Amino acid sequence: MKQSNQQDELFEATAGDEIEGRAPELRAEIFLFARDRARKRSIQEAIPEVISVRTYEDADTLTEGLAGNVAVVLLSMGLPEAELLTASLSTVQETKYARIGLLTGDRDRIREKPIPHDEIFYKSADRKTFQNRLKRLYIRAYYETALQRYYSLCIARQNRLAKLEEEHDDERLRKLTASRDLMESHLTYFKQYLQPGDLDNIRDRREEMKRMINDVREDNDPTISGLPKQCPDCSLSWGTWHGPDLESGYEKVGANAWRCSGCGTVIGGNDPDNYWIG
C-alpha cells in the first residue's frame, strides 16, 4: 500500500516542480495504438492526468511520431498482427528506452502472437491495478533514461577535467557538474518508486527484447513457406527486418502469393520449381 501511495504522489506532481527535494517533471509521453473507441476512452481515463497521451490508429503514423520523449507505447491486441509487429519493432528501433505494453482480453492470443513487449495488460484487471502497473512501467523507462544520461554526464565531466589545469575556473565544467548532480538527484528520487526486481528488469531488458525480436524474425523466415531468402528480381533480403517501410522484405498477399516490399515483384506458388513471378 505504501508503494502505491508513493506512486500516487509522484504522478500527481505538477509542471514546474523540478526543484531540489521535489519531483522532476514527467515530460515523457504515452502512445496508445488502438481503434476501438470505448477501449481508447477507458485507457485514456485510467492514465494519470499529469502524463501526456497521444492516440494513433495507424502503425505508420505512430512510427513517424516516435522520438526520445516517449516512455510507454500501448498496443491493442485487437489490431492485425502485421500492424502490431510494425508498431512494436519500430518502437524498439526508433527509441532506446520506451516500454511496450500489450492490451488484451484474451490470454491465449498472446501466445499465438510473438509481439515483442515488456508488459501485458489484461482487460479483466481493475482500473487501480492497471494504473499501478502502468506507472511502474513508466518509472522503469524514466529511470533507465536518467541512468544513461547520468553516465554520459559523468564521462563528459571526466573528459573535461582531463583537459583542464584549473578545475574551479571553467564554465563548461561547472555546467557539467551541475547537470550531473541534478541527474543524480533524479535517480535518487525515482529509485524510491522502484519495486523489487525492477533494477534486474532494467539491466536485463536489452537482452530479453533482443531474444523476442529474434523469435519474431525466425517466425518470418521465408524458407518455412518454401520461399527464397531474397527477392529473385531485386535481391532484397527476405526475413530480415528493414524498418517500418520495408519490414521483413516481403508480405503475403494471397493464399500462395507474396510481394517484395522493395520492388513489388509478386511470387506465386509454394514450390521453387513452380514459382511464377508477376
Side-chain angles (χ1 to χ4, degrees):
M1 183 62 68
K2 182 179 178 182
Q3 183 70 40
S4 178
N5 290 338
Q6 285 181 328
Q7 285 187 349
D8 289 342
E9 292 172 5
L10 173 61
F11 286 91
E12 287 172 2
T14 57
D17 277 346
E18 192 175 322
I19 60 177
E20 186 175 356
R22 302 183 70 178
E25 280 189 65
L26 301 180
R27 298 179 180 176
E29 299 176 319
I30 288 179
F31 280 12
L32 172 59
F33 184 30
R35 296 198 180 104
D36 182 82
R37 291 185 179 181
R39 186 63 168 152
K40 286 195 294 184
R41 183 171 60 252
S42 65
I43 295 298
Q44 287 178 289
E45 291 174 351
I47 295 174
E49 292 184 3
V50 71
I51 302 175
S52 175
V53 183
R54 295 192 187 189
T55 61
Y56 294 89
E57 296 186 0
D58 178 78
D60 292 335
T61 305
L62 181 147
T63 296
E64 292 172 2
L66 287 170
N69 199 37
V70 183
V72 178
V73 176
L74 298 174
L75 309 176
S76 171
M77 290 297 289
L79 297 170
E81 182 175 348
E83 294 184 53
L84 291 170
L85 278 173
T86 294
S88 175
L89 294 174
S90 295
T91 298
V92 175
Q93 290 184 318
E94 301 297 332
T95 69
K96 290 186 177 180
Y97 312 113
R99 267 48 179 178
I100 301 169
L102 303 182
L103 306 170
T104 183
D106 186 347
R107 294 173 182 265
D108 292 332
R109 290 182 64 189
I110 293 294
R111 291 193 291 269
E112 295 171 3
K113 294 175 178 289
I115 309 299
H117 63 278
D118 294 278
E119 292 283 335
I120 299 173
F121 297 93
Y122 295 105
K123 191 175 182 180
S124 58
D126 63 87
R127 175 169 293 190
K128 191 63 177 177
T129 298
F130 171 80
Q131 287 178 330
N132 288 336
R133 292 186 63 209
L134 180 62
K135 289 174 182 178
R136 187 178 175 188
L137 194 62
Y138 187 98
I139 291 169
R140 291 209 304 260
Y142 235 102
Y143 184 85
E144 185 178 7
T145 302
L147 185 63
Q148 294 304 318
R149 176 62 176 160
Y150 173 74
Y151 288 152
S152 297
L153 287 168
C154 286
I155 293 172
R157 183 178 179 279
Q158 285 301 117
N159 290 340
R160 187 65 180 174
L161 271 173
K163 297 178 180 179
L164 297 174
E165 296 181 2
E166 297 272 343
E167 176 181 339
H168 63 277
D169 190 27
D170 184 75
E171 180 65 19
R172 174 62 177 163
L173 181 62
R174 285 195 291 271
K175 289 182 177 179
L176 286 170
T177 300
S179 296
R180 181 205 62 182
D181 292 346
L182 177 62
M183 198 57 56
E184 186 173 15
S185 72
H186 287 186
L187 285 171
T188 301
Y189 193 93
F190 282 118
K191 195 170 184 178
Q192 66 182 312
Y193 301 108
L194 296 176
Q195 296 184 16
D198 283 341
L199 289 177
D200 289 340
N201 178 279
I202 291 170
R203 181 197 62 204
D204 300 335
R205 179 181 184 267
R206 185 168 299 179
E207 286 302 315
E208 179 65 16
M209 195 60 64
K210 184 186 297 184
R211 182 192 64 76
M212 285 191 281
I213 291 174
N214 287 337
D215 287 346
V216 170
R217 288 172 175 166
E218 288 176 3
D219 287 344
N220 287 337
D221 184 354
T223 60
I224 294 176
S225 300
L227 297 172
K229 291 188 175 182
Q230 64 183 29
C231 175
D233 199 5
C234 71
S235 299
L236 177 69
S237 175
W238 286 3
T240 299
W241 184 254
H242 299 284
D245 292 330
L246 298 179
E247 298 185 352
S248 295
Y250 71 104
E251 62 176 334
K252 191 170 184 177
V253 294
N256 286 306
W258 295 263
R259 179 170 55 222
C260 176
S261 303
C263 65
T265 294
V266 174
I267 287 182
N270 57 3
D271 184 327
D273 294 330
N274 297 315
Y275 284 147
W276 56 262
I277 301 177

